[in-house]
């Protein structure tokens, strides 16, 4: 190996030990012309002691460099004199080691640099002077000197900013007054969503001009609808301008079709489920089968059992009763009577004599419209304004069971003179609907605030009547409960917990099990009448109920929970029909909405 190559390796090794790569590695340029080059020496071996990788202050104190020359030429070994090249190499090695050590210590802490400087003074050559930082910095490259200068200036700049002192003051301010170890969650600023309003709500016409302010119309109150006087009322239409001949012709038609129905008295023929579905699919809603019958929200609907004519009745929120004959023109077919002052919550044509239409209102009166005498008789009167529903106890409709909001029921006999009850009993629960068993007619259902019970009218007491069977499982108030029309072996309930339940009532002396539970949206809100699931009188296992789904529809379910059919009409049905009723023998369904309008689906 040549002397120039050995010098290059020495510079590279020293630069690696000091952690720098910018030292001048061409050490051959700083050496004098060596006699070894001309005399053809064999080999120069340089052994360096590396720094420890673990690092520490003690390791820098033992920085030593040794330059050993071996295997010189035989002429130099025999003369016994120390070669001049060996002396030059030793002095160069010591000087270069001190320079690299000084360059490395410029980036160490002051204590470490001072220790290394002391070691260099002790171990240095006696013939050389004591090295200083300025002396050795001159041996660095221009890039290294510039780098050291930048580091010094940056350190002075950051020291002048006093960042650590400012951070400490802020930390003391934020933590002042707060207990240690407790972190408070920052409050989020809520951004209010931008609500867009239509021009109609902004009271602006399409051209941008403001519309005149509308005066709010208050809802009618009980003072505006006083209670009607007791006693019978004549069948006089509410619209006094209506022709008397039309009213008389309608009443004659009602009496005639009632007599025809009594003479026939045919029972519906049962069919299988597939034939029943096909019949429901043939039922449609036409334009002439939609009409506004009463002014306000409909609370009850009834259908005359005639086979030849279609006559429907509806009762609204403020006591009006509307009767509509669908077999004539609309302007001549609707007749409205005012016979109550509050909501007509229950209405039935008498199954024994369809010429009688009985209606019950929240105003505390139960009336019977007798078309043969053109009068509305007062059957029962309660001064406390708390009647809710009624049903026929006897098959000849001579006795009635009347439910009240405060949990009482009354047995009324129409054959007894006067408007008082024959029997009153307390059921200890709010009663919305009552319904009599179709076979065992001394049993009746009472549904109300979360309780559905079956009572025996023979065991009623004035205080503390006990039910024969309780239908448990409801979590909120129950709007209705009805026996199946043929055998009474099932009961369907409509509950505010958005469920329709089917109970088995084969045995009326034990607990009735739940057969089916159907998820159904019953949240009608304030402005809609609550749903009531009603059995189809032609079948034992199907019932109809209103729906909140879109498009608007009326739904028919099977007792197993299957949705049998949905009555739809994109053109003529655009509202929720809360109250619905079946024709007892024909395929006719009537739905009433909250604007007083009836929708009649038929074949």
């Amino acid at each position: 190996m040549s002397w120039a190559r050995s010098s290059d390796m020495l510079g590279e090794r020293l630069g690696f030990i000091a952690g720098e790569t910018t030292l001048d590695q061409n050490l051959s340029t700083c050496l004098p012309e060596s006699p070894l080059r001309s005399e053809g020496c064999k080999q120069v071996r340089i052994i360096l002691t590396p720094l420890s990788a673990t690092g520490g202050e003690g390791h820098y104190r033992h920085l030593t460099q040794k330059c050993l020359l071996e295997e010189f030429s035989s002429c130099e070994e025999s003369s016994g004199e120390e070669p001049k090249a060996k002396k030059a190499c030793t002095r160069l090695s010591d000087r270069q080691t001190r320079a690299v050590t000084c360059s490395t210590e410029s980036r160490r802490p002051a204590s470490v640099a001072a220790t290394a400087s002391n070691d260099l003074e002790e171990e240095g050559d006696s013939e050389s002077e004591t090295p200083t930082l300025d002396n050795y910095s001159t041996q660095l490259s221009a890039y290294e000197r510039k780098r050291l200068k930048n580091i010094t200036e940056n350190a002075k700049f950051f020291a002048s900013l006093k960042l650590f002192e400012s951070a400490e003051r802020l930390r003391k301010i934020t933590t002042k007054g707060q207990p240690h170890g407790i972190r408070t969650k920052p409050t989020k600023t809520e951004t209010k969503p931008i609500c867009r309003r239509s021009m109609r709500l902004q009271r602006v016409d399409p051209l941008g001009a403001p519309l005149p302010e509308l005066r709010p119309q208050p809802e009618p109150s009980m003072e505006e609808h006083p209670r009607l006087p007791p006693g019978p009322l004549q069948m006089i239409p509410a619209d006094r301008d209506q022709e008397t001949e039309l009213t008389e012709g309608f009443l004659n038609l009602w009496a005639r079709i009632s007599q025809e129905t009594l003479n026939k008295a045919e029972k519906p023929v049962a069919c299988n489920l597939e034939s029943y579905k096909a019949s429901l699919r043939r039922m449609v809603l036409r334009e002439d089968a939609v009409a506004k019958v009463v002014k306000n929200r409909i609370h009850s609907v009834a259908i005359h059992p005639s086979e030849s004519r279609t006559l429907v009745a509806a009762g609204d929120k403020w006591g009006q009763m509307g009767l509509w004959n669908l077999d004539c023109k609309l302007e001549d077919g609707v007749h409205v009577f005012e016979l109550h002052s509050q909501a007509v919550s229950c209405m039935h044509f008498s199954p024994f004599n369809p010429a009688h239409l009985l209606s019950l209102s929240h105003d505390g009166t139960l009336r019977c419209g007798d078309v043969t005498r053109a009068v509305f008789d007062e059957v029962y009167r309660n001064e406390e304004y708390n009647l809710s529903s009624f049903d026929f106890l006897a098959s000849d409709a001579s006795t009635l069971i009347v439910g009240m909001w405060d949990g009482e029921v009354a047995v009324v006999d129409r054959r007894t003179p006067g408007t008082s009850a024959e029997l009153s009993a307390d059921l200890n629960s709010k009663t919305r609907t009552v319904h009599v068993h179709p076979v065992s007619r001394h049993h009746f259902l009472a549904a109300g605030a979360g309780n559905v019970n079956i009572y025996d009218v023979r065991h009623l007491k004035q205080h503390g009547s006990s039910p024969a069977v309780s239908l448990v499982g409801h979590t909120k108030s129950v709007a209705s409960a009805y026996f199946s029309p043929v055998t009474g072996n099932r009961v369907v309930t409509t509950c505010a917990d958005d469920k329709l339940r089917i109970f088995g009532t084969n045995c009326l002396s034990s607990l009735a099990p739940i057969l089916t539970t159907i998820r159904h949206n019953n949240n009608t809100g304030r402005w809609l009448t609550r749903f009531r699931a009603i059995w189809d009188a032609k079948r034992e296992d199907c019932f109809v109920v209103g729906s909140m789904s879109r498009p608007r529809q009326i739904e028919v379910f099977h007792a197993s929970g299957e949705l049998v059919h949905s009555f739809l009409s994109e053109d003529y049905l655009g509202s929720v029909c809360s109250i619905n009723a079946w024709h007892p023998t024909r395929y006719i369904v009537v739905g009433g909405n909250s604007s007083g309008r009836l929708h009649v689906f038929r074949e």
Side-chain angles (χ1 to χ4, degrees):
M1 180 183 296
S2 63
W3 176 259
R5 178 58 178 169
S6 302
S7 302
D8 292 343
M9 291 179 61
L10 174 62
E12 292 177 1
R13 186 60 177 172
L14 293 175
F16 175 77
I17 295 172
E20 299 293 337
T21 60
T22 59
L23 294 176
D24 189 0
Q25 299 177 2
N26 191 6
L27 300 180
S28 62
T29 58
C30 64
L31 292 174
E33 185 67 20
S34 175
L36 298 177
R37 297 188 179 182
S38 60
E39 296 178 4
C41 181
K42 293 182 179 180
Q43 184 179 5
V44 177
R45 189 192 314 183
I46 301 173
I47 300 176
L48 302 178
T49 304
L51 296 176
S52 175
T54 57
E57 185 174 352
H59 295 285
Y60 292 101
R61 296 179 180 179
H62 302 289
L63 181 62
T64 59
Q65 295 293 333
K66 296 181 181 179
C67 180
L68 303 178
L69 303 179
E70 299 175 340
E71 300 181 12
F72 282 97
S73 62
S74 58
C75 60
E76 292 176 331
E77 292 177 355
S78 62
S79 62
E81 297 178 359
E82 183 178 9
K84 297 179 181 180
K86 182 175 181 181
K87 294 182 179 180
C89 182
T90 304
R91 289 195 298 271
L92 175 62
S93 176
D94 293 340
R95 185 177 302 170
Q96 185 68 21
T97 303
R98 294 190 185 96
V100 173
T101 306
C102 182
S103 175
T104 307
E105 290 173 354
S106 63
R107 296 187 300 274
R108 300 181 196 149
S111 60
V112 178
T115 305
S117 178
N118 295 335
D119 293 341
L120 287 174
E121 292 178 359
E122 296 174 359
E123 298 174 4
D125 192 357
S126 60
E127 297 179 1
S128 62
E129 299 179 356
T130 303
T132 62
L133 184 61
D134 295 334
N135 294 335
Y136 294 125
S137 62
T138 58
Q139 300 180 15
L140 302 177
S141 64
Y143 170 78
E144 187 66 22
R145 290 194 298 270
K146 185 177 180 180
R147 179 174 176 274
L148 292 175
K149 181 179 178 182
N150 291 340
I151 292 175
T152 305
E153 292 177 356
N154 290 340
K156 292 180 181 180
F157 173 72
F158 282 108
S160 65
L161 295 179
K162 299 182 179 180
L163 298 179
F164 293 101
E165 292 80 353
S166 301
E168 185 65 24
R169 288 197 300 270
L170 290 176
R171 190 179 297 106
K172 291 180 180 180
I173 293 173
T174 55
T175 58
K176 185 177 181 180
Q178 295 183 0
H180 296 286
I182 299 177
R183 300 178 62 182
T184 58
K185 187 177 182 181
T187 57
K188 296 182 180 179
T189 58
E190 297 182 358
T191 58
K192 296 183 179 179
I194 300 175
C195 299
R196 298 184 179 181
R197 302 177 63 192
S198 63
M199 299 181 69
R200 178 181 63 83
L201 296 178
Q202 296 177 12
R203 305 299 304 158
V204 177
D205 64 4
L207 299 179
L211 297 176
E213 294 292 335
L214 295 178
R215 295 181 179 181
Q217 298 180 357
E219 189 176 352
S221 59
M222 296 180 62
E223 288 75 11
E224 298 179 11
H225 295 270
R227 194 173 191 180
L228 300 178
L233 298 175
Q234 296 296 320
M235 286 188 177
I236 300 175
D239 186 3
R240 302 285 178 164
D241 298 334
Q242 192 175 14
E243 297 180 6
T244 307
E245 295 180 358
L246 292 176
T247 303
E248 291 179 354
F250 169 73
L251 296 179
N252 293 333
L253 173 65
W254 182 1
R256 186 173 67 255
I257 61 177
S258 299
Q259 187 63 35
E260 293 175 358
T261 303
L262 288 175
N263 294 335
K264 291 183 179 180
E266 295 181 358
K267 293 184 178 181
V269 178
C271 61
N272 57 37
L273 185 58
E274 294 301 325
S275 300
Y276 180 73
K277 290 180 180 179
S279 300
L280 296 181
R281 287 193 293 269
R282 290 194 296 268
M283 299 169 61
V284 295
L285 179 64
R286 300 180 178 87
E287 183 179 4
D288 58 353
V290 181
K292 188 175 178 63
V293 179
V294 288
K295 291 183 179 180
N296 300 291
R297 185 200 309 179
I298 294 177
H299 280 251
S300 57
V301 176
I303 305 179
H304 193 280
S306 172
E307 294 285 341
S308 59
R309 298 279 183 166
T310 304
L311 178 63
V312 296
D316 75 352
K317 184 177 180 179
W318 295 107
Q320 281 192 346
M321 175 189 289
L323 291 102
W324 181 21
N325 178 18
L326 275 78
D327 298 316
C328 64
K329 296 181 180 180
L330 179 61
E331 56 272 13
D332 300 334
V334 177
H335 304 269
V336 182
F337 304 92
E338 292 184 353
L339 61 156
H340 296 285
S341 60
Q342 297 294 314
V344 183
S345 59
C346 191
M347 186 185 307
H348 295 292
F349 283 95
S350 172
F352 182 74
N353 184 6
H356 294 170
L357 176 60
L358 286 84
S359 60
L360 179 142
S361 173
H362 293 171
D363 64 0
T365 58
L366 173 62
R367 294 183 180 274
C368 175
D370 188 354
V371 69
T372 58
R373 297 187 297 115
V375 66
F376 291 101
D377 289 325
E378 192 174 56
V379 177
Y380 176 68
R381 188 179 184 90
N382 190 303
E383 299 297 335
E384 297 182 1
Y385 288 85
N386 63 350
L387 302 186
S388 59
S389 63
F390 79 95
D391 197 11
F392 302 102
L393 272 177
S395 57
D396 59 356
S398 59
T399 56
L400 312 171
I401 184 76
V402 180
M404 306 179 190
W405 290 106
D406 59 0
E408 292 186 0
V409 292
V411 177
V412 178
D413 193 341
R414 296 173 57 193
R415 298 166 295 185
T416 303
T419 58
S420 59
E422 303 296 325
L423 173 67
S424 295
D426 187 6
L427 304 182
N428 299 321
S429 177
K430 182 184 292 187
T431 304
R432 292 181 180 272
T433 59
V434 292
H435 191 238
V436 177
H437 196 281
V439 178
S440 179
R441 304 196 68 90
H442 53 273
H443 286 98
F444 69 93
L445 271 169
N451 299 320
V452 180
N453 298 316
I454 300 176
Y455 293 90
D456 191 336
V457 70
R458 300 169 298 181
H459 300 154
L460 290 179
K461 299 179 181 179
Q462 188 173 1
H463 299 288
S465 299
S466 300
V469 181
S470 295
L471 280 63
V472 298
H474 305 90
T475 59
K476 293 185 178 180
S477 63
V478 180
S480 64
Y482 296 101
F483 285 108
S484 55
V486 181
T487 62
N489 291 339
R490 297 186 182 95
V491 171
V492 58
T493 63
T494 309
C495 186
D497 59 3
D498 291 341
K499 289 181 181 179
L500 305 175
R501 294 177 174 86
I502 311 296
F503 291 84
T505 54
N506 295 331
C507 181
L508 298 179
S509 60
S510 62
L511 185 65
I514 298 178
L515 303 180
T516 309
T517 300
I518 305 172
R519 294 288 302 176
H520 190 267
N521 184 4
N522 298 326
N523 186 13
T524 54
R526 177 182 179 184
W527 306 108
L528 299 178
T529 307
R530 296 187 65 177
F531 292 155
R532 301 174 195 165
I534 304 292
W535 294 100
D536 186 356
K538 300 180 289 296
R539 294 188 63 87
E540 177 74 6
D541 53 359
C542 292
F543 60 89
V544 66
V545 66
S547 175
M548 297 294 295
S549 303
R550 291 182 181 274
R552 299 307 187 190
Q553 55 192 278
I554 302 172
E555 297 175 336
V556 180
F557 286 93
H558 189 263
S560 61
E562 175 190 358
L563 179 62
V564 176
H565 184 70
S566 294
F567 293 103
L568 299 166
S569 178
E570 296 181 359
D571 299 328
Y572 308 116
L573 180 59
S575 58
V576 177
C577 292
S578 300
I579 303 299
N580 306 278
W582 293 94
H583 192 282
T585 56
R586 300 165 60 189
Y587 284 95
I588 296 177
V589 170
V590 180
N593 65 8
S594 293
S595 63
R597 196 175 300 272
L598 289 179
H599 306 76
V600 181
F601 289 84
R602 54 180 176 172
E603 294 180 322

